[in-house]
């Protein structure tokens, strides 16, 4: 995605897509309702959120130590651990494993982390056939698109779209029945599962103490991807490590509730190394790729660090008015919505639009809905501060602020000088917003604002009305009090 | 009780009638209302766009301007801004202490009436069907969900209607509405549709910014629904037709 393209321009196109609006409205409303119902089954939802936030913060505070413990225990379990600086490095590591093992077919469990690194293209370039096996991911793979929601990658597609895709790509008789469509995908993927020599998944979390990776899913495709192929590669962001089962249990109690609105995912799998001699299932080789890709930068900033609590449940997307208006693709980043706006500028493999931190009304719905209480609007404010102060080390934050430093300084000077402020207000009244909108340069934005709004007319300002009002209030005061 | 009126810039220039209504309601509640001169802007526009150095200048000015007594404002976003001053001015301990003092004695109007004075019946009377919009800054940011509703319930003749999505943003967000006009309009349209579906006579908000945005949207549609600030409803003394 080009860094020059502004999010606001993508928004202009996205809001015109009425079909998208309809799909988004239904999907986000359903997610919201299910989440609320699921959270209500906890005795004290807010206490649980606070607890999970503490669990994540504690783990992030001991990140280097936990990662080393995890590595030690994965190796002790017979697995391999790889450290990837960035997305490209992770892809190189995985491509090398595939080459060394002459991998021809890869089945993938749903993984946003490998979307972040762009792994599929790299594997395909070296001749491997790569199949997404999560139904939503499979649909968008056929369409040649990227996920538009963290947990519902094909949320922007309706059943007619899926019917069109399946008819075109799989040569099946057209049906719009969801059950039938699912069966078609199941049948098409089954052979590939059995043929695959490598299964690649993400990881929802890892337990350092036991050297295990935990994966949650509802379709069974992840478990399938990790049991039939000879090699299982799990790709995990370094922030996902937890000390052990106690902490994992707390996080699990919130993940499904806030994602799909289930108390627990249909499948929760714990992988502790490759198949042992006495075990019937599992991969012969297990690789864990630990991905940094800018996460260390997030750890280093006390405010941005909070964003690493994220469980990738997608709850913030479903309540965000901006996401609801434009959908995930408009953002141009792997992770859309509030959490995407917070982390994308720091992720090495993303070229985030510089206006992303400003694409927020400050409504606070995301903060209220986050299962780990991430102060998403606060993080966006922090990114705005960095961008406006010119301190942003990341080039993607330059050029985003709507108010130039000079304009801000002029505004502050005027507001610090009451006669100048009064004069500016008087000038605004004299011209009036309707006429000001006709001024070529200055009025352009005002005119745009007024496309769907009636500009106000400005009358006598409050400060000039006040002396008379104050007199009247003083005269009436005794009367009113007598009535009380 | 002596109350210093905090006049948001939108009230000063765009909706002065909201300031008048606020002053009258406070006077009716028994307050001696004064307005410290020299009020301009609390710094919110420069703060929200990341210009902290400029926001600090304006914050410092307001800390001195409101150096004593109770302060009340008909704008939750301005009150929320002033409550950020201690953090904003943290580098200057003496100033930060004064900012903390101010943050502890500034109140949004409904908060002041319901929680400080303990008054929800101010003798207002308005025959109308009213839809209430939970402004994000009033509800989520200041946590005032119950207070404005309790005050509306105290208005004689008023039928309060609940929106399907009372807590949904109106899409304003200050400079957001200029930088992201398409999204802003889309969100506003959803809000207006929700309001119009209730077929109210008036829509009420306790936040000036939302009020100006929603009013401008309704007027563009030539809708007969009037957008009123909570203060204007509480200031109503006659049965409307």
């Amino acid at each position: 995605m080009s860094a020059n393209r502004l999010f606001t321009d993508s928004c202009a196109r996205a809001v015109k897509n009425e079909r998208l609006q309809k799909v988004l409205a239904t999907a986000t409303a359903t997610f919201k309702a299910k989440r609320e119902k699921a959270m209500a089954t906890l005795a004290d939802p807010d206490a649980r959120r606070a607890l999970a936030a503490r669990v994540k913060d504690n783990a992030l505070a001991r990140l280097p130590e936990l990662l080393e413990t995890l590595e030690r225990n994965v190796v002790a379990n017979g697995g391999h651990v790889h450290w990837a600086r960035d997305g490209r490095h992770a892809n190189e590591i995985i491509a090398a494993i595939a080459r060394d093992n002459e991998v021809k077919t890869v089945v993938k469990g749903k993984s946003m982390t490998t979307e972040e690194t762009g792994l599929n293209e790299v594997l395909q370039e070296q001749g491997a056939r790569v199949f997404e096996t999560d139904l939503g991911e499979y649909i968008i793979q056929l369409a040649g698109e990227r996920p538009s929601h963290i947990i519902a990658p094909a949320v922007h597609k309706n059943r007619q779209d899926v019917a069109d895709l399946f008819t075109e790509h799989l040569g099946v008789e057209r049906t719009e029945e969801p059950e039938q469509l699912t069966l078609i995908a199941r049948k098409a993927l089954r052979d590939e599962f059995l043929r695959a020599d490598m299964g690649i998944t993400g990881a929802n979390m890892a337990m350092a103490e036991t050297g295990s990776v935990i994966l949650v899913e509802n379709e069974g495709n992840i478990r399938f991807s990790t049991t039939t192929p000879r090699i299982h590669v799990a790709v995990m962001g370094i922030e996902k490590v937890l000390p052990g089962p106690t902490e994992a249990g707390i996080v699990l109690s919130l993940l499904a509730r806030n994602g799909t609105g289930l108390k627990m995912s249909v499948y929760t799998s714990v992988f502790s190394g490759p198949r042992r001699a006495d075990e019937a299932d599992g991969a012969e080789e297990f690789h864990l790729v630990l991905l940094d890709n800018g996460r260390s930068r997030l750890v280093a900033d006390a405010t941005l660090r909070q964003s690493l609590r994220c469980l990738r449940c997608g709850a913030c997307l479903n309540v965000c008015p901006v996401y609801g208006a434009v959908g995930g693709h408009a953002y141009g980043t792997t992770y859309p919505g509030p959490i995407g706006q917070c982390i994308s500028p720091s992720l090495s493999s993303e070229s985030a639009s510089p206006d992303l931190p400003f694409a927020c009304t400050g409504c606070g719905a995301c903060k209220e809905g986050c299962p780990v209480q991430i102060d998403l609007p606060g993080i966006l404010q922090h990114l705005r501060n960095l961008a406006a102060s010119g301190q942003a080390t990341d080039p993607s934050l330059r050029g985003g602020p709507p108010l130039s430093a000079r304009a801000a300084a002029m505004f502050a000077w005027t507001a610090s000088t009451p006669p100048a402020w009064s004069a500016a207000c008087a000038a605004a009244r004299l011209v009036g917003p309707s006429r000001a909108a006709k001024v070529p340069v200055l009025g352009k934005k005002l005119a745009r604002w007024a496309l769907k709004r009636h500009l106000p007319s400005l009358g006598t300002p409050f400060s000039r009305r006040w002396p008379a009002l104050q007199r009247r209030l003083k005269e009436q005061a005794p009367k009113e009090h007598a009535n009380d | 009780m002596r109350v210093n009126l905090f006049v948001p810039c939108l009230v000063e220039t765009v909706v002065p009638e909201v300031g008048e209504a606020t002053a009258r309601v406070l006077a009716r509640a028994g307050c001696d209302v004064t307005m410290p001169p020299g009020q301009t802007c609390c710094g919110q526009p420069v703060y929200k766009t990341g210009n902290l150095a400029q926001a600090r200048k304006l914050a410092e000015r307001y800390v001195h301007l409101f150096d004593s007594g109770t302060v009340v404002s008909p704008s939750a976003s301005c009150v929320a801004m002033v409550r950020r001053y201690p953090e904003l001015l943290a580098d200057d301990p003496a100033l930060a202490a004064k900012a903390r003092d101010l943050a502890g004695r500034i109140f949004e109007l409904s908060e002041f009436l319901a929680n400080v004075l303990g008054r929800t019946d101010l003798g207002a009377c308005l025959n109308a069907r009213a839809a209430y919009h939970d402004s994000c800054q009033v509800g989520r940011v200041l946590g005032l969900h119950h207070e404005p509703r309790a005050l509306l319930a105290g208005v004689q003749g008023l039928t309060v209607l609940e929106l399907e999505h009372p807590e949904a943003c109106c899409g304003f967000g200050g400079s957001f509405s200029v930088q992201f006009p398409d999204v802003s309009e889309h969100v506003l349209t959803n809000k207006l549709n929700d309001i119009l579906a209730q077929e109210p006579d008036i829509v009420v908000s306790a936040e000036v910014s939302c009020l100006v945005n929603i009013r401008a949207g309704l007027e563009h549609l030539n809708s007969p629904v009037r957008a009123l600030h909570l203060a204007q409803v509480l200031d109503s003394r006659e049965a409307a037709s």
Side-chain angles (χ1 to χ4, degrees), chain A residues 283-417:
Chain A
E284 290 167 28
E285 259 183 49
F286 174 75
H287 296 264
L288 175 61
V289 180
L290 296 169
L291 178 69
D292 187 322
N293 202 32
R295 286 165 174 80
S296 296
R297 249 178 285 174
L298 292 168
V299 179
D301 183 306
T303 307
L304 297 178
R305 189 182 306 150
Q306 236 188 72
S307 65
L308 293 176
R309 288 181 193 161
C310 178
L311 312 180
R312 303 281 189 267
C313 71
C316 60
L317 279 56
N318 304 328
V319 295
C320 175
V322 179
Y323 180 87
V326 302
H329 286 156
Y331 292 78
T333 49
T334 304
Y335 304 98
I339 188 63
Q341 289 169 263
C342 288
I343 62 172
S344 301
S346 303
L347 293 182
S348 313
S349 56
E350 304 285 346
S351 47
S353 166
D355 57 352
L356 276 182
F358 298 89
C360 165
T361 65
C363 83
C366 52
K367 180 182 176 183
E368 188 181 59
C370 176
V372 283
Q373 299 183 322
I374 301 173
D375 180 10
L376 297 136
I379 292 173
L380 291 178
Q381 177 66 47
H382 180 65
L383 289 172
R384 292 176 185 194
N385 301 345
L386 291 176
S389 68
Q391 284 170 20
T393 48
D394 196 296
S396 72
L397 283 177
R398 287 184 215 132
L403 202 62
S404 71
R406 238 179 90 187
M410 261 174 66
F411 179 89
W413 179 83
T414 312
S416 307
T417 319

Side-chain angles (χ1 to χ4, degrees), chain A residues 217-293:
Chain A
E217 55 162 333
N218 296 317
E219 297 175 14
N221 63 305
I222 290 183
R223 199 171 279 184
F224 208 165
S225 303
T226 53
T227 43
T228 47
R230 204 168 61 74
I231 305 160
H232 173 198
V233 179
V235 188
M236 183 181 90
I238 52 171
E239 82 280 19
K240 296 284 185 75
V241 67
L242 294 168
T246 309
E247 292 80 5
I250 291 162
V251 170
L252 279 172
S253 73
L254 288 170
L255 182 53
R257 280 186 167 90
N258 286 274
T260 48
L262 300 170
K263 283 192 212 165
M264 201 175 170
S265 299
V266 178
Y267 297 86
T268 302
S269 308
V270 182
F271 298 92
S272 305
R275 179 168 68 194
R276 289 170 183 75
D278 58 341
E279 287 173 346
D281 300 308
E284 290 167 28
E285 259 183 49
F286 174 75
H287 296 264
L288 175 61
V289 180
L290 296 169
L291 178 69
D292 187 322
N293 202 32

Side-chain angles (χ1 to χ4, degrees), chain A residues 7-8 11-13 15-16 21 32 321-322 324-326 355-356 358-366 368 381 384-386 388-389 399-405 407-418 421 425 429 445 448-466 469-470 472-474 476 480-481 484, chain B residues 5 7 9 11-14 16-21 23-24 27-35 38-41 43 45-52 54-55 57-58 61-62 119 136-137 140-141 145 165 167 169-189 192 212-213 215-221 237:
Chain A
F7 178 49
T8 186
C11 290
R13 280 186 294 276
V15 294
K16 289 197 191 92
Q21 306 301 337
K32 261 191 279 187
V322 179
V326 302
D355 57 352
L356 276 182
F358 298 89
C360 165
T361 65
C363 83
C366 52
E368 188 181 59
Q381 177 66 47
R384 292 176 185 194
N385 301 345
L386 291 176
S389 68
L403 202 62
S404 71
M410 261 174 66
F411 179 89
W413 179 83
T414 312
S416 307
T417 319
W421 181 263
C425 292
R429 268 196 308 283
K445 286 187 168 151
R448 176 66 190 80
W449 200 84
L451 266 184
K452 291 279 175 73
R453 299 174 180 92
H454 180 80
L455 287 174
S457 47
L458 306 179
T460 311
F462 180 78
S463 53
R464 290 230 308 264
R465 300 175 181 208
W466 173 244
L469 175 62
Q470 193 180 26
R472 273 203 307 282
L473 292 179
K474 286 218 186 304
Q476 285 166 5
E480 289 272 344
H481 280 241
D484 277 350
Chain B
L5 197 59
V7 184
C9 58
V11 169
E12 166 71 9
T13 53
V14 183
E17 63 273 22
V18 171
E20 292 179 305
R24 279 195 293 266
R28 206 165 286 136
C31 299
D32 175 14
V33 187
T34 59
M35 185 185 73
Q39 296 188 46
T40 56
C41 169
V46 276
Y47 175 81
K48 292 276 172 78
T49 51
N51 296 284
L52 294 194
Q54 310 300 344
K57 279 185 208 161
L58 298 178
R61 203 176 159 263
Y62 264 43
R119 297 275 304 264
C136 305
Q137 301 288 323
R140 270 188 290 262
V141 175
H145 300 278
H165 304 289
E167 80 301 330
C169 179
C170 75
F172 181 62
S175 63
F176 173 87
S177 67
V178 178
Q179 198 176 4
F180 299 91
D182 301 278
V183 183
S184 181
E185 281 166 13
H186 180 85
V187 179
L188 173 60
T189 303
L192 296 179
V212 169
N213 189 40
R215 191 181 80 171
L218 287 170
E219 286 178 3
H220 176 77
L221 297 175
R237 305 294 277 176

Side-chain angles (χ1 to χ4, degrees), chain B residues 99-178:
Chain B
R100 270 194 300 280
D101 176 59
L102 171 58
R105 54 185 167 77
I106 186 168
F107 303 96
E108 182 276 334
L109 178 66
S110 73
E111 183 181 34
F112 178 72
L113 293 172
N115 298 347
V116 179
L117 298 184
R119 297 275 304 264
T120 49
D121 184 352
L122 293 148
C125 178
L126 181 65
N127 279 322
R129 285 160 54 84
Y132 178 68
H133 162 60
D134 271 289
S135 296
C136 305
Q137 301 288 323
V138 179
R140 270 188 290 262
V141 175
L142 295 188
L144 305 168
H145 300 278
H146 171 71
E147 291 79 354
R149 286 184 172 79
L151 285 159
L152 288 177
V155 178
Q156 217 183 3
L158 198 72
T159 307
V160 182
L161 311 164
E162 278 294 330
L163 296 175
E164 196 183 339
H165 304 289
E167 80 301 330
C169 179
C170 75
F172 181 62
S175 63
F176 173 87
S177 67
V178 178

